[in-house]
Amino acid sequence: MIRVLVVDDDPMQLELLDRALSRDGFELRGVSSVETLEVEARQFEPELMLIDVNLPDIDPATVIQAARRGSRAHLVLYSAWEDSKLRGLARQFGADGYICKSESVFALGQRLRDMNRGGTDVSQ
């Protein structure tokens, strides 16, 4: 079972991801703020972090830096931003991948498994 820590301020999004990915063999925990991110990452020890980079009142760099401090997990940026903007941000901050929120939750599990095995999708 792959442990995934999801960082998103939208409770409905956290619930949707939990339902979809739990059925797909993932163990999820969700946090909605940077303040709880580092603590939860140390306790849960995720293999992947799915990070919404569009949190209110905080810039993406701060969220990504907090994620790096709290864990050695693969970082996957997750946002409603357009593909090219999200890919550029992933490259800029050395994330392992990115997934647009518009992508089907059914494809999400496979993409996360690929990234957990060391695959990256930011070099394209």
Side-chain angles (χ1 to χ4, degrees):
M1 187 169 290
I2 298 172
R3 290 180 312 279
V4 180
L5 181 62
V6 180
V7 183
D8 199 312
D9 63 312
D10 182 350
M12 291 181 68
Q13 186 69 29
L14 288 171
E15 184 177 333
L16 173 69
L17 289 171
D18 185 45
R19 285 184 183 175
L21 292 175
S22 293
R23 279 182 263 177
D24 205 8
F26 292 84
E27 182 180 354
L28 259 72
R29 291 232 184 124
V31 298
S32 58
S33 70
V34 173
E35 293 78 24
T36 56
L37 168 61
E38 290 181 63
V39 172
E40 191 64 34
R42 282 190 205 98
Q43 291 174 354
F44 184 51
E45 297 180 349
E47 291 143 303
L48 292 164
M49 275 198 223
L50 192 58
I51 302 169
D52 181 358
V53 294
N54 196 23
L55 298 174
D57 301 324
I58 191 157
D59 64 282
T62 302
V63 178
I64 295 166
Q65 289 166 355
R68 290 221 184 276
R69 282 192 303 271
S71 174
R72 294 179 186 247
H74 295 286
L75 299 184
V76 181
L77 307 187
Y78 189 59
S79 178
W81 290 355
E82 66 181 50
D83 186 82
S84 61
K85 184 176 180 181
L86 194 53
R87 181 176 50 242
L89 190 67
R91 283 181 184 161
Q92 179 182 352
F93 290 103
D96 297 292
Y98 68 95
I99 298 173
C100 294
K101 285 186 177 180
S102 61
E103 189 166 324
S104 164
V105 292
F106 300 108
L108 187 59
Q110 187 58 51
R111 295 271 314 275
L112 291 174
R113 273 191 284 285
D114 290 345
M115 288 180 212
N116 189 54
R117 286 191 295 266
T120 179
D121 62 358
V122 295
S123 59
Q124 304 166 8

